[in-house]
Amino acid sequence: QVQLVESGGGLVQAGGSLRLSCTASRSIFSINSMGWYRQAPGKQRELVATITRLSNTNYADALKGRFTIDRDNAKNTVYLQMNSLKPEDTAVYYCNAVLDFLNFWGQGTQVTVSS
């Protein structure tokens, strides 16, 4: 099992940047995949980005070029750098880990982008 704690959310103006962090309760070196998902009010949870243990990355097409995912195995932390934020990026952002074919989720962190 693994517990995930997100941080770094908040209120930002359109065009601004935020960096989200997800810290795991155990070493992430052996975790197959970690990632970020988001859920806006009234919408389904959607993929933002994932990164494998070999640091291969995958992004939602609409977010490529603005969002960057990376990981620091020494700190057991995965990051999401979000640039040029838009009001439509407003959502709760969730950290995800896939370990032994099971999905684990953090509690989420709110990101609000004002116009």
Side-chain angles (χ1 to χ4, degrees), residues 8-48:
L11 174 64
V12 64
Q13 287 189 334
S17 298
L18 283 175
R19 184 173 173 84
L20 305 183
S21 300
C22 170
T23 300
S25 60
R26 53 167 284 171
S27 171
I28 66 171
F29 180 77
S30 60
I31 295 179
N32 301 329
S33 176
M34 297 189 70
W36 292 92
Y37 291 73
R38 69 184 185 183
Q39 187 167 18
K43 295 187 177 181
Q44 289 188 333
R45 192 172 296 189
E46 63 178 4
L47 168 73
V48 174

Side-chain angles (χ1 to χ4, degrees), residues 12-98:
V12 64
Q13 287 189 334
S17 298
L18 283 175
R19 184 173 173 84
L20 305 183
S21 300
C22 170
T23 300
S25 60
R26 53 167 284 171
S27 171
I28 66 171
F29 180 77
S30 60
I31 295 179
N32 301 329
S33 176
M34 297 189 70
W36 292 92
Y37 291 73
R38 69 184 185 183
Q39 187 167 18
K43 295 187 177 181
Q44 289 188 333
R45 192 172 296 189
E46 63 178 4
L47 168 73
V48 174
T50 60
I51 185 167
T52 69
R53 59 189 297 268
L54 299 179
S55 294
N56 295 314
T57 58
N58 179 53
Y59 294 91
D61 287 341
L63 302 178
K64 289 179 181 178
R66 293 197 298 123
F67 289 16
T68 302
I69 188 171
D70 64 353
R71 61 193 289 162
D72 185 334
N73 289 339
K75 295 183 178 180
N76 298 330
T77 300
V78 172
Y79 302 97
L80 183 69
Q81 178 68 42
M82 306 185 294
N83 298 326
S84 302
L85 283 163
K86 305 175 181 180
E88 51 263 44
D89 294 319
T90 295
V92 178
Y93 284 70
Y94 296 92
C95 182
N96 169 265
V98 180

